[in-house]
Amino acid sequence: MKLRHAAAFAALLVAAAGPAAAGWIGQVVVGEPGGSRLPNGAVVLVDFDYKITNPGGARFRVAPQSGGATVAGFVGDVSAVLPAGTGHQQLGFSFAAGSHALDHCLIEMVTPDWGSTLLAISVPVTLHVGDHAVYHLQPTTPGTARLLHGAAYALGFDAATAAPGGAVVTALPLSGGAPATGAVCGDPSFIDGQGVGTQWFRFDGDSPHVDAVRIRMWNAAMTELLLEFDRPVDLAWGGHGLAGFEVSPGTGAWLGLGQTVLVACDYATTATAGVRILARGVDAEGEPVPDQSYATGPVLADLTGHVSRTFTCVTGEHEVPYVQVLMQDAGSGEELLDVRGRIDAAFGPHAVNAVIFDPAPPAVLDLGEQVALTFDYATTEAGGVRIWTLPRTDGEHTPGYFGSVSPLYPVGEGDGASWFSVTGAAAAVDQVEFLVTDRYVTRTLALRRRDAAFVFGEPAYVTASPPLVLSAAVLGACRPNPFNPATTIPVELGAASAVRLAVYDLRGQLVRTLIDGVLPAGRTEVEFRAEGLGSGAYLYTLECAGTRQSRRLVLVR
């Protein structure tokens, strides 16, 4: 059956319970970033959480898909029979030969005898598998970056080829689809069978805006193009630099008045009088959002360094679609650099933030199963507030939903919890509404909606794009610091996620990769041992879901 207006979503296949009880599948994470070009033989790992209610237990299997059908020729993992209850699974699939473009990954819960499918969820992916591959791309400067004249942008990678005599890999900066003029590029990287490489380029003068890097693999004689794809970037070169942006909380934050957005970044300048750097919220036209509080901070006399700035709104209700980071000459006050990034934040006297869903989307559930939520809140309502979480489908409250009754949350800041479910007919929940009312539920004080992807009920075909998990990844302070010879780095994840945790020197050169894969929800402590490294300061960096966080550590010999 098709749910109403299924085309409003973007390709999530869900089949739900038959006669037997099932439970749910959720928090699906495919452990390769979108757009990856993988070699035959590489295993694509798929992590997910589950709840089995079938008394006899269940098995799980995964399969790659293209155009709505399973792709032939793959080898996929199957689980052992798992008992009723909740848990976490990691399964994988691979191809031995051929060329394959994948657009979905299917996870199925089946009965122990393989006789029937209890639940299935197919999540969108964009993966290519073949005889020639460039993958696990690792830029030295992830995300938006404005770099100094002469600074190199380097891109490390793994590569594999079936070409006799090996192959070479090149990287070319693009601007508006054409080669960016003025670029100085490194020599091609030679790959014999399988290996690693690095490509770099720089601009010694002002550059055009570089919006993509074109990756190419050629045969060894560079007479035959074996592979080509573009990687989006946001780069430019000039006399001053800002890079390595970290914004906390992340995109979509709903904050109370006085709660702050923290913006941190690295800077570089040629201004001999020093610079000042500020961060503030701006609207779509670049105008500062009213009722803000922010500071320019002290004069930064060093030509390079790391800086953190905050801003907040102190009154009113305001949408803040962008953050603006400005660098000004400390002597003349001249604006040297203006960098903006989308954050889609909101401020007001009442707010709900740091939302964690269990199961996390995308998820498929039996009718009657619950989605549990935890959250932080802020309110200025003297008598306290009630906070309601309401599922929505196609712009209306989901038919047949029910949920928890809100307790009274006192004035100030705190945390809360709720749940919702759907009974009756199958339904696809594409949004969750957060409604803040007064204690008597007579006045609506605030309302905000977040995208979601939950499907309840009978076998259905639904289209949906799994949203980003709303909870943030947090990179904690390592202990001890300074250290010798080892320190422990804590990582907190609201949901299982593909992450990369790495250590760099202060020039941005990769020193060591500690984690490059999926970590489970909750706290993970990672030991870093500094064998072979000299005394000094280093950066440890966490990349997760398009965000990047960095902290410093100091090795003392």
Side-chain angles (χ1 to χ4, degrees), residues 71-89:
V71 179
F74 81 96
V75 177
D77 292 339
V78 296
S79 76
V81 176
L82 301 169
T86 59
H88 178 84
Q89 275 285 294

Side-chain angles (χ1 to χ4, degrees), residues 505-527:
D505 64 24
L506 295 186
R507 297 170 299 170
Q509 300 299 309
L510 178 66
V511 172
R512 196 159 299 161
T513 299
L514 305 180
I515 299 288
D516 192 357
V518 175
L519 288 182
R523 182 181 177 91
T524 300
E525 294 188 344
V526 181
E527 185 182 56

